[in-house]
Amino acid sequence: MKGFQPTRYDEVPYLAAAHSFTHPEVLATTAMLRGLDPPPLEGGRVLELGCARGANLIPMALLLPRTTFVGVDRSELQIDEGRRRALAAGLTNLEFRTVDLLAVDSSLGLFDYVIAHGVFSWVEHEVQEKILEIASRNLSPRGIAYVSYNTFPGWHVSTMFRDMMLYHVRDVGDPATRAAKARAFIQFLAESARPKESLWALLLKGESAYIGDMPDWYLLHDDLEDENHPVYFFQIVERAAAHGLQYLAEERELQSSEIFPERVWRTIDGYGLDRIGREQHADFLRNTRFRRSLFCHAGLPLAGAPALDSLRRCRYRAHVRQGAPLEDPDSPGASVFVLEDGRKVKTNDPRLVAVLGALCSAWPRALAFGDLEAAVGAAIGDQRTEGMPDVAALTTQALFQAMMAQLVSLHLTDPPIAASPGERPLATPYARLQAAAGENATNLLLRDVELSLLDRLVLARLDGQTDRAGLASQILPLLEPEIPASPDAARLGAAEVIEPPQRPLPEQIEETLRKLAAECCLLA
């Protein structure tokens, strides 16, 4: 496959949603923590390789109207769809180009941020080298490049299952049948393996569950794609170096099972490894199968330890909500915060309590460092003792602690997110387009939000001009079976048209609006 294989991707479009972890502000804040001074987002240029229909770039371009975005992809069908959606969203700062990656050269210009998500491992070696070449040659002097890829050792087992599925469906051409047969085959193996408690049976059971939850387009383009070439982390670092790039950092949130005690790291550090060797050994420990790596030009000085001063230039948003106090004799008076996955964190640290409390109260706004410094200062009050660091330093320590525990996220922007629906709620043109097309919506934090049929019918009409009575009058006919089929019903599919509401429609609309506000889908 040279560049991209247009027939396969045109036949089964790649329908991924936006990826918040590829946002330029994420790349910039990560670089700042490594001691770099990345290009400003305002007035910057962003390039995405393999952009498909622009699901990642369009919401970014909406949130950063004074930043220029360019997306390239070989699939003319996907590029045309991206252009149609960008036009419908009213964007003038986003350009889509139908280009084979191998044809990209310096004439495309320099970019401050280059994104290649979900591309590198699924193209031939020649094209992989071209991606690294673009990430270097088309990167501005202080720019940051993002490349994601499948990795060993995690993909050793996955490669085995992939090979088995590819052999089983080797004569199947129809994509839907190919995906169904591959799933059924692995499920058959998982159900039939003996003994049930053997390692082999457990691996099969895990793989069956993993691919069972995948949509067809993902299974076809990930596990069943003709090209899928995992690498070891150290290998891509070496290959990037040959193009004048150096490894900067990883952009990923660790699962709780991937966080190890200090004694584990002391043992690894005892091996006398450099930074790259330490990362590679971490992959061995975690059985890593996917990485999201950032690169910059070789020669830029990287800080040996986190550049904590950079935290004072950022804004912050909580990833927790305040929980009910615990009656714990071992931690009297501890404050409790609940993470998005339901885990609870308790702390008596007044600095951390002040920071998280302020962020929870401000949700969904992102607070500046000065706001949090004031909260910490008020919490400490006259408890300061001689020799204690100043309030700014105490705030920095608390933020770094919260960041390492993945309780907060760093930002450089603060989108105008509505905390509650107003009289005439407003969603972005792109979210309205997605809802009208029967899709999930991309919220203002670039996260995918699952929508029910009523959610979509409501969201598609949130133009900032329509009040609740107007929403009800437009939606009610769509829910009455005796009314002739509407364009919405035809587009969403007859099977999805719901029965007349069991509760008053205005009540359901209000509930939907509260949900959309809670999911950060509404503009202030």
Side-chain angles (χ1 to χ4, degrees):
M1 179 168 63
K2 301 295 185 182
F4 296 103
Q5 185 172 352
T7 306
R8 181 70 53 83
Y9 276 82
D10 287 351
E11 190 176 10
V12 183
Y14 192 77
L15 300 178
H19 305 294
S20 59
F21 44 79
T22 67
H23 193 291
E25 78 167 358
V26 175
L27 277 55
T29 53
T30 304
M32 288 162 59
L33 281 168
R34 294 291 297 153
L36 296 183
D37 181 24
L41 305 185
E42 188 94 358
R45 284 169 52 82
V46 179
L47 169 67
E48 182 170 24
L49 307 176
C51 65
R53 58 178 182 165
N56 198 33
L57 286 184
I58 291 174
M60 288 185 194
L62 280 166
L63 294 173
L64 296 172
R66 286 182 285 278
T67 302
T68 299
F69 293 84
V70 176
V72 300
D73 199 290
R74 184 175 175 179
S75 170
E76 189 169 349
L77 184 70
Q78 299 243 34
I79 287 295
D80 285 346
E81 176 63 11
R83 287 171 177 156
R84 183 188 72 80
R85 289 175 172 238
L87 181 64
L91 290 170
T92 59
N93 60 328
L94 171 57
E95 177 187 0
F96 287 107
R97 297 191 185 187
T98 306
V99 180
D100 187 316
L101 286 185
L102 293 176
V104 174
D105 57 25
S106 57
S107 66
L108 193 61
L110 294 180
F111 293 85
D112 301 305
Y113 299 93
V114 175
I115 303 166
H117 180 71
V119 180
F120 189 88
S121 292
W122 294 271
V123 292
E124 292 177 339
H125 187 274
E126 176 187 11
V127 187
Q128 291 181 347
E129 291 300 308
K130 184 66 178 184
I131 289 171
L132 295 175
E133 177 189 314
I134 295 169
S136 176
R137 186 185 57 204
N138 294 85
L139 189 67
S140 66
R142 294 185 290 127
I144 309 298
Y146 166 106
V147 182
S148 66
Y149 50 97
N150 289 337
T151 57
F152 294 130
W155 258 88
H156 278 306
V157 172
S158 299
T159 298
M160 173 181 64
F161 287 125
R162 164 182 149 80
D163 290 344
M164 292 161 58
M165 287 188 287
L166 286 174
Y167 180 79
H168 182 70
V169 300
R170 65 193 183 282
D171 297 323
V172 181
D174 177 66
T177 305
R178 187 176 172 87
K181 285 184 174 292
R183 278 198 193 88
F185 174 57
I186 295 297
Q187 183 179 357
F188 160 72
L189 294 179
E191 293 171 349
S192 306
R194 296 290 186 276
K196 285 292 187 183
E197 65 276 7
S198 67
L199 176 60
W200 178 234
L202 292 174
L203 288 172
L204 282 166
K205 182 179 178 181
E207 182 68 11
S208 180
Y210 177 65
I211 67 171
D213 292 335
M214 286 182 185
D216 281 2
W217 62 265
Y218 191 91
L219 177 61
L220 290 164
H221 290 309
D222 195 55
D223 290 66
L224 299 180
E225 185 56 70
D226 293 339
E227 307 286 348
N228 191 324
H229 307 288
V231 295
Y232 282 102
F233 167 70
F234 78 89
Q235 292 174 325
I236 195 170
V237 171
E238 291 175 350
R239 290 168 63 181
H243 290 277
L245 296 170
Q246 64 176 329
Y247 174 70
L248 174 61
E250 205 64 22
E251 203 311 290
R252 67 186 299 238
E253 291 187 0
L254 296 175
Q255 304 299 312
S256 57
S257 60
E258 297 179 297
I259 300 174
F260 299 101
E262 188 59 33
R263 59 177 175 79
V264 172
W265 297 113
R266 282 199 299 268
T267 299
I268 290 179
D269 289 340
Y271 297 148
L273 305 167
D274 62 11
R275 189 167 68 98
I276 303 306
R278 192 178 193 267
E279 286 280 322
Q280 183 61 75
H281 278 68
D283 279 4
F284 295 154
L285 188 63
R286 296 178 177 128
N287 195 36
T288 304
R289 56 175 282 133
F290 191 73
R291 268 186 173 265
R292 307 196 300 243
S293 298
L294 305 188
F295 298 89
C296 64
H297 286 295
L300 290 178
L302 303 181
L308 297 186
D309 283 350
S310 66
L311 296 180
R312 305 186 186 194
R313 298 161 53 193
C314 298
R315 305 182 73 91
Y316 299 87
R317 184 175 286 112
H319 284 195
V320 296
R321 57 181 173 81
Q322 213 141 15
L326 287 177
E327 293 185 5
D328 186 349
D330 295 328
S331 303
S335 294
V336 178
F337 297 92
V338 184
L339 282 80
E340 293 171 342
D341 62 6
R343 288 180 294 127
K344 294 181 179 179
V345 175
K346 62 180 181 180
T347 178
N348 280 316
D349 186 336
R351 303 167 306 165
L352 193 55
V353 170
V355 164
L356 295 179
L359 291 174
C360 287
S361 298
W363 175 266
R365 290 177 50 219
L367 295 184
F369 181 88
D371 299 321
L372 300 175
E373 182 181 10
V376 170
I380 294 176
D382 56 7
Q383 299 177 38
R384 292 196 64 203
T385 59
E386 188 176 349
M388 180 182 287
D390 61 29
V391 175
L394 293 172
T395 306
T396 300
Q397 294 166 5
L399 282 169
F400 183 67
Q401 182 182 350
M403 183 191 71
M404 294 302 292
Q406 299 176 171
L407 306 179
V408 302
S409 53
L410 279 65
H411 300 273
L412 297 175
T413 61
D414 188 20
I417 305 172
S420 59
E423 182 180 348
R424 289 177 166 79
L426 174 64
T428 67
Y430 183 59
R432 301 201 302 269
L433 180 152
Q434 290 176 302
E439 303 169 1
N440 288 341
T442 301
N443 72 7
L444 293 163
L445 300 180
L446 269 69
R447 295 182 181 179
D448 193 48
V449 177
E450 291 189 14
L451 302 174
S452 68
L453 174 59
L454 183 59
D455 294 340
R456 294 200 294 268
L457 292 175
V458 171
L459 180 57
R461 291 160 173 79
L462 300 184
D463 56 6
Q465 303 297 318
T466 308
D467 61 13
R468 284 155 177 76
L471 291 172
S473 66
Q474 293 180 36
I475 293 171
L476 184 59
L478 305 176
L479 309 181
E480 296 177 345
E482 66 272 15
I483 300 297
S486 68
D488 288 274
R491 182 167 53 247
L492 295 171
E496 278 198 288
V497 177
I498 62 177
E499 296 299 321
Q502 301 303 309
R503 292 184 289 127
L505 182 58
E507 181 181 320
Q508 293 193 65
I509 289 176
E510 191 62 40
E511 184 178 293
T512 292
L513 290 173
R514 288 198 299 269
K515 170 193 171 178
L516 294 174
E519 294 282 7
C520 300
C521 292
L522 304 182
L523 287 160

